[in-house]
Amino acid sequence: MKIPLLEPTRTYLACVGTSRDMARRELLVGAGAAVRKAGQALRRAAADGTLHGLEGDEFTVEGICTKDFVDWAYENGMQTVAGKRIRDALMAAPVDERCPLCWVGAVTQLDHVMPKSVFPALCVDPLNLVPACAYCNLIKGDTKPQSAEDALLHPYLDRISHTRWLHARTVWTPIGVRLEFFVAPPDSWDPTLVSRVTRQFTLLNLGTRYAQHANRTITDVNQMVTRLRVRGGANVVRNYLLGESETRFAADANSIEGVTYVTLSADDAYCHGPSATHTA
């Protein structure tokens, strides 16, 4: 995803500048310098890959308790006319409205990369607001990374979609073939990136969620595969599956459907049909 072009200070003032409570508005506008400083610190840490090193006590707003500040700036601010425009722009960014944390759920919420309960001064900073599905937002919660290896991928900053790291294997059961997904990163990745991707895969239960998606794809394609077996045998089936995978991989090197098709194409039992199928 592209980094939002929204300017953080203008975003903040748009969220707090129309409060009908004059005393509150003056207090919030006066906190603009602290919010700007917090945004600068966020961007320095993001550039250095040290978001895990940020401490919450450096991101509070003097004179306003954390709960009040978040309620006023984020909860109320994002409901204003200007705030809704900002929220809508952020929510509309992902391709096909897919959650950029799991790549499978539908975007319904904004997630705070650095939790707003710990980093209130960043609660409306566009770089800290990532569109997400409800599942990922719930599982991620309000925890902050404790180390570089512990940090989840930042959808705006971490670019791994062009490199294949998602793989699967076939598993035969009494009801047919199913897939198990796993992380197999390229050798060019450094250990920290490998740890981060593996942690995200585990924390967000991506193996199970991807398998559910893949199994639905298998059910949908089985009838076509059966016809192709009759028409031309295993090679025709394999070529069809490889063609489908290439189409998916052209848009996303880690497409769940792409991995599903290419994994099925490598399984001789699936390509040949029931007579060659394993039994559990």
Side-chain angles (χ1 to χ4, degrees):
M1 288 176 58
K2 295 181 179 179
I3 297 175
L5 297 179
L6 300 165
E7 201 280 322
T9 300
R10 290 182 179 178
T11 297
Y12 172 70
L13 293 176
C15 289
V16 305
T18 58
S19 174
R20 295 180 180 179
D21 186 317
M22 295 296 293
R24 178 187 299 177
R25 182 169 64 189
E26 184 177 349
L27 189 63
L28 289 169
V29 171
V35 170
R36 181 169 59 254
K37 181 180 178 181
Q40 292 168 347
L42 174 68
R43 283 157 180 77
R44 285 195 299 271
D48 295 339
T50 57
L51 289 177
H52 61 280
L54 298 178
E55 297 295 337
D57 56 7
E58 300 175 1
F59 292 84
T60 57
V61 178
E62 186 176 357
I64 311 177
C65 75
T66 293
K67 183 181 184 307
D68 284 347
F69 186 80
V70 171
D71 283 347
W72 297 343
Y74 178 72
E75 303 295 349
N76 295 342
M78 284 292 178
Q79 298 304 315
T80 65
V81 173
K84 285 181 178 178
R85 283 199 295 265
I86 294 167
R87 178 185 173 85
D88 289 347
L90 292 169
M91 293 283 284
V95 176
D96 298 329
E97 300 179 344
R98 285 189 304 165
C99 172
L101 296 176
C102 65
W103 306 283
V104 66
V107 165
T108 58
Q109 303 175 2
L110 285 178
D111 170 64
H112 289 79
V113 177
M114 307 303 288
K116 60 184 183 295
S117 61
V118 183
F119 299 85
L122 299 175
C123 70
V124 293
D125 191 306
L127 189 64
N128 197 46
L129 294 172
V130 171
C133 67
Y135 183 94
C136 287
N137 201 10
L138 176 64
I139 296 300
K140 180 176 173 292
D142 286 340
T143 58
K144 69 175 286 286
Q146 299 302 310
S147 66
E149 294 77 13
D150 191 46
L152 299 182
L153 299 175
H154 194 309
Y156 298 142
L157 306 176
D158 295 305
R159 311 294 189 196
I160 66 167
S161 61
H162 62 287
T163 303
R164 175 85 182 276
W165 56 265
L166 181 64
H167 296 260
R169 61 177 67 90
T170 53
V171 176
W172 286 91
T173 73
I175 61 173
V177 67
R178 292 292 182 261
L179 296 192
E180 289 182 353
F181 285 79
F182 58 93
V183 174
D187 293 338
S188 59
W189 282 13
D190 64 74
T192 298
L193 181 57
V194 173
S195 295
R196 294 176 66 197
V197 173
T198 301
R199 169 169 164 70
Q200 186 149 332
F201 189 84
T202 303
L203 178 67
L204 301 181
N205 197 27
L206 298 186
T208 298
R209 296 169 69 189
Y210 289 176
Q212 292 170 344
H213 186 90
N215 293 338
R216 289 193 292 269
T217 298
I218 293 172
T219 298
D220 291 342
V221 79
N222 273 342
Q223 186 175 4
M224 169 65 78
V225 167
T226 298
R227 290 201 300 266
L228 292 175
R229 289 190 192 114
V230 173
R231 187 179 306 166
N235 285 337
V236 172
V237 171
R238 185 173 289 108
N239 289 336
Y240 164 75
L241 295 170
L242 287 172
E244 292 295 313
S245 71
E246 290 172 1
T247 299
R248 272 65 174 187
F249 286 145
D252 179 1
N254 296 284
S255 162
I256 301 170
E257 290 188 353
V259 173
T260 299
Y261 284 117
V262 78
T263 303
L264 292 176
S265 74
D267 190 300
D268 287 339
Y270 183 77
C271 292
H272 281 281
S275 62
T277 299
H278 302 296
T279 57

